[in-house]
């Protein structure tokens, strides 16, 4: 099983979808799926929230072959992209499969990438067809410049988009933000140069046309398999974790035995700290959403690394405190309590 593509087009396929690769916690999505059917070589990627598929039409003598698909692991993509770029854009690259490998071969070099032959991947054809099936026949279908879409990233907000009519601006709304983006004239599919949705969809006959097999994106995507004690690294996850800890600590405090003041104090302190952290995070998000998101992401990395206590010691010393005295005083406090319990 093999197909050919020039080095330039291979690089374009990778570039078009690599921004949609899933995280390391979703193994089946942590890479780019090469999917060959009777007419096209596809590169597909998904991060659970987006799905992107790019295609390259196979030469006539390669069409009609048996379909195959393999996932190129994310750890190999940088190497593969650089290898492709090292060749002339018109150089022919042959992509073939062997047991446990996808082999990319040029005239004088090759790169062998280990893969899992039977690794599953979401049925992207059914997912996209299922979404398209919900679009009204007369749906407005304006074209937008993909490079301009990146300009909305700086809002640091959840945006809602309303498509108005063909050749008129798209409206964009955030909680404290409003904007619009003008479309651009599309000179692609369609005899008039302005494609309708039906005409555009018709250019993808390889999508799944089995209406009974249509998949729902929210229901079909695999879940992230984060480590059990992985720290929250997004604002919604951190808010949920802090509020859960506040309520859990309150419940533990109410159920703690009155003869164990140490446990009661620990539960109370945990609840107070969780609630305080939530209030500070809410205030920071109100004042500077971008800084709040950055801080939560960095905090998640620090908590997962587990060396934050060492950092706290150094910061305390730099601030003019005496962390050694704190430690000695706390040890003396624990010893005193142990002696009381033994008496």
């Amino acid at each position: 099983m093999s197909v050919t593509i020039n080095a330039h087009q291979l690089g374009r396929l990778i570039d078009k979808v690599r921004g949609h690769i899933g995280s390391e916690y979703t193994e089946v999505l942590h890479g780019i799926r090469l999917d060959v059917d009777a007419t096209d070589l596809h590169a597909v990627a998904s991060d659970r929230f987006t799905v992107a598929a790019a295609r390259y039409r196979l030469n006539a003598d390669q069409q009609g072959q048996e379909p195959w698909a393999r996932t190129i692991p994310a750890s190999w993509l940088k190497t593969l992209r650089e290898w492709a770029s090292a060749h002339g854009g018109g150089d022919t690259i042959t992509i073939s499969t062997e047991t446990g490998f996808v082999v990319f071969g040029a005239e004088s070099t090759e790169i062998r990438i280990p893969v899992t032959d039977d690794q599953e991947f979401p049925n992207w054809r059914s997912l996209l067809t299922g979404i398209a099936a919900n679009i009204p026949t007369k749906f407005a279908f304006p074209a937008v410049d993909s490079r301009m879409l990146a300009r909305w990233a700086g809002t640091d907000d959840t945006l809602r988009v309303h498509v108005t009519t063909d050749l008129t601006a798209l409206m964009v709304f955030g909680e404290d933000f409003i904007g619009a983006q003008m479309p651009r004239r599309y000179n692609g599919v369609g005899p008039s140069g302005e494609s309708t949705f039906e005409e555009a969809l018709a250019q993808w006959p390889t999508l799944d046309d089995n209406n009974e097999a249509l998949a729902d994106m929210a229901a079909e995507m695999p879940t992230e398999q984060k480590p059990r004690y992985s720290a929250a690294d997004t604002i919604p996850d951190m808010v949920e974790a802090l509020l859960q800890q506040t309520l859990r600590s309150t419940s533990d405090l109410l159920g703690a035995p009155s003869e164990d003041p140490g446990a009661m104090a620990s539960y109370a302190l945990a609840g107070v700290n969780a609630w305080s952290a939530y209030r500070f995070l809410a205030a920071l998000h109100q004042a500077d959403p971008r800084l709040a998101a950055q801080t939560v992401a960095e905090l998640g990395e620090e908590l997962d690394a587990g060396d934050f206590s060492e950092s706290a010691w150094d910061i305390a010393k730099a601030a003019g405190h005496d962390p050694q005295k704190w430690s000695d005083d706390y040890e003396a406090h624990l010893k005193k309590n142990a002696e009381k319990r033994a008496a």
Side-chain angles (χ1 to χ4, degrees):
M1 297 187 292
S2 66
V3 296
T4 59
I5 182 175
N6 68 46
H8 172 70
Q9 293 293 347
L10 175 59
R12 289 192 69 202
L13 281 181
I14 296 172
D15 293 344
K16 285 181 178 181
V17 302
R18 68 187 306 175
H20 299 266
I21 292 173
S23 77
E24 60 186 297
Y25 301 119
T26 314
E27 183 179 358
V28 298
L29 300 180
H30 195 48
I32 288 179
R33 185 76 161 180
L34 294 185
D35 187 321
V36 175
D37 59 24
T39 58
D40 297 275
L41 163 64
H42 303 87
V44 188
S46 174
D47 57 7
R48 299 173 57 239
F49 303 100
T50 64
V51 178
R55 67 182 176 185
Y56 173 79
R57 180 56 57 92
L58 300 175
N59 295 331
D61 59 348
Q62 299 181 75
Q63 295 184 9
Q65 67 172 287
E66 194 71 22
W68 60 269
R70 300 288 190 277
T71 300
I72 305 299
S75 58
W76 278 91
L77 290 175
K78 184 175 184 292
T79 300
L80 175 60
R81 186 65 179 88
E82 292 176 350
W83 180 85
S85 298
H87 295 79
D91 288 357
T92 297
I93 306 296
T94 299
I95 307 174
S96 59
T97 61
E98 298 178 3
T99 302
F101 292 91
V102 173
V103 182
F104 297 82
E107 183 176 358
S108 57
T109 64
E110 73 173 22
I111 179 171
R112 299 168 60 85
I113 297 180
V115 298
T116 302
D117 292 335
D118 58 352
Q119 186 173 34
E120 296 182 356
F121 193 84
N123 189 335
W124 60 274
R125 292 176 174 84
S126 291
L127 288 172
L128 293 175
T129 307
I131 295 170
N134 294 318
I135 299 177
T137 304
K138 301 301 180 182
F139 185 76
F141 197 48
V144 296
D145 189 326
S146 61
R147 293 164 296 185
M148 289 186 179
L149 292 176
R151 299 180 184 181
W152 303 110
T155 61
D156 282 324
D157 205 347
T158 298
L159 298 180
R160 291 171 293 171
V161 179
H162 179 69
V163 178
T164 52
T165 59
D166 287 330
L167 301 181
T168 57
L170 285 73
M171 291 295 296
V172 179
F173 298 86
E175 292 184 7
D176 298 298
F177 184 85
I178 187 171
Q181 179 172 326
M182 285 297 295
R184 60 179 299 177
R185 185 170 295 278
Y186 181 70
N187 296 312
V189 181
S192 66
E194 290 301 326
S195 126
T196 65
F197 176 72
E198 293 87 351
E199 289 172 328
L201 191 59
Q203 302 305 307
W204 285 86
T206 56
L207 292 183
D208 197 333
D209 57 1
N210 181 1
N211 289 329
E212 295 182 358
L214 299 185
D216 177 73
M217 189 168 173
E220 296 297 324
M221 281 296 176
T223 57
E224 286 191 333
Q225 300 296 323
K226 286 190 175 183
R228 184 176 179 183
Y229 300 109
S230 177
D233 56 5
T234 66
I235 289 178
D237 288 346
M238 181 65 76
V239 166
E240 181 180 6
L242 291 174
L243 293 179
Q244 280 189 4
Q245 182 60 53
T246 300
L247 297 176
R248 187 180 299 120
S249 298
T250 302
S251 177
D252 289 340
L253 175 62
L254 295 176
S258 57
E259 64 274 12
D260 189 353
M264 295 182 66
S266 296
Y267 293 141
L269 182 60
V272 168
N273 287 341
W275 179 249
S276 299
Y278 165 73
R279 293 289 286 118
F280 280 121
L281 177 58
L284 179 59
H285 184 258
Q286 180 68 26
D288 191 336
R290 177 177 295 179
L291 179 58
Q294 178 182 344
T295 301
V296 168
E298 292 176 352
L299 176 60
E301 293 180 359
E302 293 169 356
L303 293 176
D304 285 337
D307 57 357
F308 52 89
S309 62
E310 298 175 10
S311 298
W313 184 283
D314 294 337
I315 292 171
K317 290 185 66 176
H321 301 294
D322 187 351
Q324 185 61 56
K325 184 176 184 303
W326 293 347
S327 178
D328 294 341
D329 289 347
Y330 185 61
E331 290 296 329
H333 170 71
L334 293 179
K335 182 179 180 181
K336 184 177 180 181
N337 286 342
E339 291 172 349
K340 285 183 178 179
R341 288 194 296 269

